[in-house]
Amino acid sequence: MDAVRQKLREIEEQYNGINSRLMSEEVLRDPEELTRLSKKEAGLRQSVEAWKSLKELDSRIEQAEEMLRENDPELKEMAQMELEECVPEREKLLEHIQKLLIPRDPDDDHDVIMEIRGGAGGDEGNIFAGDLYRMYTRYAESKGWKTQVLEASDSEAGGFSQIIFSIKGNDVYHELKFESGAHRVQRVPKTEAQGRIHTSTATVLCRPEAEAADIQIDEKDLTIETHRASGAGGQHINKTDSAVRIVHIPTGITVNCQEGRSQIENRETAMRLIRSRVYEELKRQQEEAEGKIRREKIGTGDRSEKIRTYNYPQNRVTDHRIGLTITQLDRIMEGKLDDIIAGLLEDDEKKKLESVQQ
């Protein structure tokens, strides 16, 4: 465990350095830097407190072991009692510290922008996209998070061919980051006269919402155009050039927003989307350059590219990545996602812990 103690010493040194910087006038005059450093300090605090507790236990155990070498029977008895209390406590603390030392995803405390698209299955895929949107908004409500629709393309049969929305709250990305992928539904569509079960899909992409402090985008790298909104919805359609299209020239990423009531509102939404998509793309490029393997978050929506299956006839949902099956699909679709999300986070923690121990 010498490596663990060395790591904790480094964290304590880093923590003290951040505390010193937080007291400097330069940082106090810079709100963005103050926020960034405060978050970093908060993220290290638990490890520093655990290190203090570990040092105290180490000292108590060392003193008790010295007392055991004495000839005094009473001292030996006291030392033995101290060891019986401290040694198990230290083992338990070391297990906790190993979990604390698991590298935390820097995006975990971000809000998210979620995109849901109807995939295979035509109308039924779009209807299911609407069901998933309702499921996530219900879950957000139960957590006290706030949701906001940024862009939506309604489907004539119901649901959405595409809907993009933000979710704001504490540790939103931490909980929802494993929702990206193809979600498969098995049920009898409302349009099916003969009662046959159909299989359809909708795809979900959950991105961390990048803040201005996360990424600086040069205005010179953007092409911004306005045009008249088209399609269903929106009270300003065909009346004003309220829709906004932004292209990030270096990456070719394009967004088009027309749901807002004004050009200013659509421009703000488009910038939020561009910032988050460029942030993720640059992160992907960096990971590739470092030789890391990036799990593909979303496919084409084909039935075979599934992460989870929602089987209505059997009231069953299965997450294929962790082999978790729950026979309460009705509750899941009402936003009761806690068991699934807890299972995914536990599996992720287990894999990271194994990696740290190796």
Side-chain angles (χ1 to χ4, degrees), residues 89-284:
E89 190 176 339
R90 183 172 68 178
E91 290 303 312
K92 187 176 180 181
L93 179 60
L94 283 168
E95 286 182 15
H96 174 63
I97 287 171
Q98 282 191 312
K99 290 184 178 181
L100 289 178
L101 293 182
I102 292 173
R104 180 174 168 84
D105 187 334
D107 293 328
D108 274 355
D109 60 355
H110 281 54
D111 299 323
V112 308
I113 292 178
M114 187 171 275
E115 301 179 24
I116 305 177
R117 288 181 170 85
D123 288 341
E124 178 62 13
N126 293 338
I127 292 169
F128 184 52
D131 295 336
L132 290 177
Y133 167 69
R134 180 176 179 274
M135 177 184 78
Y136 288 122
T137 53
R138 287 292 180 92
Y139 182 66
E141 286 173 16
S142 74
K143 303 289 289 186
W145 298 339
K146 294 182 179 179
T147 60
Q148 177 190 1
V149 174
L150 304 179
E151 280 293 304
S153 299
D154 296 334
S155 169
E156 289 184 11
F160 305 95
S161 59
Q162 172 185 287
I163 183 164
I164 304 173
F165 58 104
S166 67
I167 307 178
K168 292 184 174 291
N170 293 327
D171 285 342
V172 180
Y173 186 70
H174 171 67
E175 293 207 20
L176 296 180
K177 60 185 173 183
F178 298 117
E179 292 304 298
S180 294
H183 296 239
R184 182 175 73 167
V185 62
Q186 295 173 326
R187 64 185 176 189
V188 179
K190 295 175 182 177
T191 55
E192 173 57 54
Q194 307 205 7
R196 291 177 298 184
I197 296 173
H198 284 225
T199 297
S200 307
T201 65
T203 56
V204 175
L205 179 55
C206 181
R207 287 190 176 97
E209 179 165 5
E211 303 293 339
D214 295 319
I215 180 172
Q216 297 295 324
I217 296 181
D218 195 326
E219 289 279 342
K220 295 175 184 176
D221 289 337
L222 300 176
T223 299
I224 303 175
E225 302 172 349
T226 59
H227 60 95
R228 293 194 176 184
S230 60
Q235 61 177 329
H236 296 285
I237 286 175
N238 297 326
K239 294 181 181 178
T240 62
D241 290 342
S242 61
V244 175
R245 181 184 295 110
I246 299 181
V247 180
H248 182 251
I249 299 167
T251 61
I253 292 171
T254 303
V255 299
N256 186 71
C257 293
Q258 62 181 39
E259 289 293 309
R261 296 168 60 86
S262 68
Q263 187 182 115
I264 293 174
E265 192 176 327
N266 284 324
R267 183 187 172 109
E268 288 176 353
T269 299
M271 280 304 300
R272 285 175 67 185
L273 295 176
I274 274 286
R275 189 182 296 119
S276 293
R277 291 180 186 178
V278 171
Y279 175 72
E280 185 179 60
E281 173 59 19
L282 294 180
K283 188 168 68 170
R284 182 193 67 78

Side-chain angles (χ1 to χ4, degrees), residues 48-91:
V48 172
E49 289 172 355
W51 174 223
K52 289 178 181 176
S53 298
L54 180 61
K55 285 191 287 186
E56 183 183 335
L57 284 169
D58 283 343
S59 177
R60 288 172 62 185
I61 289 170
E62 186 179 345
Q63 289 175 23
E65 287 174 342
E66 286 180 8
M67 288 167 62
L68 273 180
R69 291 191 283 269
E70 298 290 336
N71 293 323
D72 189 327
E74 287 188 10
L75 281 178
K76 284 188 174 184
E77 185 179 354
M78 287 174 59
Q80 189 60 43
M81 289 174 63
E82 181 79 344
L83 289 172
E84 287 174 2
E85 177 187 342
C86 292
V87 171
E89 190 176 339
R90 183 172 68 178
E91 290 303 312

Side-chain angles (χ1 to χ4, degrees), residues 289-306:
E290 292 172 354
K292 294 180 180 176
I293 298 173
R294 181 176 181 269
R295 179 178 63 86
E296 192 61 40
K297 283 188 174 180
I298 191 167
T300 61
D302 187 82
R303 292 175 178 83
S304 63
E305 300 171 350
K306 62 184 183 296

